[in-house]
Amino acid sequence: MEKKNNYDLSEIILGTRKLYQGHQKDLNLLKRLSIPTKPNVQDYYYYVHENTKKEPELYCEYTKNQNILQKGMSKVKDFVVGIAIDENMGHCEKNEEGIYTISGTYGKKFPVEIKSPITFGRMASELLDSEFVQKIKLEKANGLGHIRSCDNKGIITFSQANIRFYKYKEAYPNASLECSVVYYPYTDTILLMAFDEKISTEKAGYALKTKFEASQLDKYHLDSITTSDILEKPIVLERVAPCSVAEYRILEEENQVVLSKVMSKR
């Protein structure tokens, strides 16, 4: 994609997606070195989280048997609560020998076990020291954790786990939230949530066209966006009835990119 002065939110998400998907492949390798220990574990995944005053840390989270709507609502909970103590979350801790174990919350034994601790420890250390983990957070956010959109009505944050966008009714921060957009690398989906009026296809498209100045992005992000082949294709947003929550899967086809509805909740 050619270099521009401004980039749409959709271009930023899709343009940096290959960075996230490369990181996700490394996380999936860690998953292969683990095994669930309880039958109610439907799925589990690893992710990296970094507090502002701490080094990046590795976590594991599992989901119980849920239908599509329940899974979607779990993501809504994740958005509202954020990274918090949760019974489904485990902290990967390394001892002096470099061996990792997963510690559950509330004193509970975590239902996922590392079966190849030496290999897991080596790969986890390499992952935590990777370029992605070190650079995906915006340096130009200057400790605020976000940059503002061109119209000053939206902010975007990058973390090792996802991309989050918040759209406000008026200029940030002296206005109420209108909607949010979150990109989840593990499922390769985009979740939209309304905070006032319901989301229509038109409003979702409008939010995804929110513009950000290229000068606010780091070189690491811009290089990924400007060399991304996916942005040469038109983006088609599948229509949905007005709803409070909608999730879209990213489908890259030969001549277009389709944001296909996974679920919606009125």
Side-chain angles (χ1 to χ4, degrees), residues 26 35 58 75 78 80 82 84 86 135 142 145 151 155 165 167-168 176 190 192 199 217 225 236 238 245 260:
D26 294 335
I35 187 169
L58 187 64
K75 289 184 178 179
D78 168 67
V80 174
D86 190 281
K135 290 187 175 182
N142 295 322
D151 62 5
I155 60 173
F165 166 75
K167 180 173 175 57
Y168 293 81
S176 57
I190 296 173
L192 287 91
I199 298 171
L217 298 168
I225 293 169
V236 178
E238 187 174 296
V245 179
S260 176

Side-chain angles (χ1 to χ4, degrees), residues 69-84:
L69 179 57
Q70 289 172 325
K71 287 180 180 179
M73 294 314 297
S74 292
K75 289 184 178 179
V76 172
K77 175 185 174 184
D78 168 67
F79 172 82
V80 174
V81 178
I83 300 295

Side-chain angles (χ1 to χ4, degrees), residues 118-130:
I118 295 177
T119 304
F120 185 100
R122 175 178 57 79
M123 294 178 62
S125 295
E126 291 177 357
L127 184 145
L128 291 172
D129 290 334
S130 67

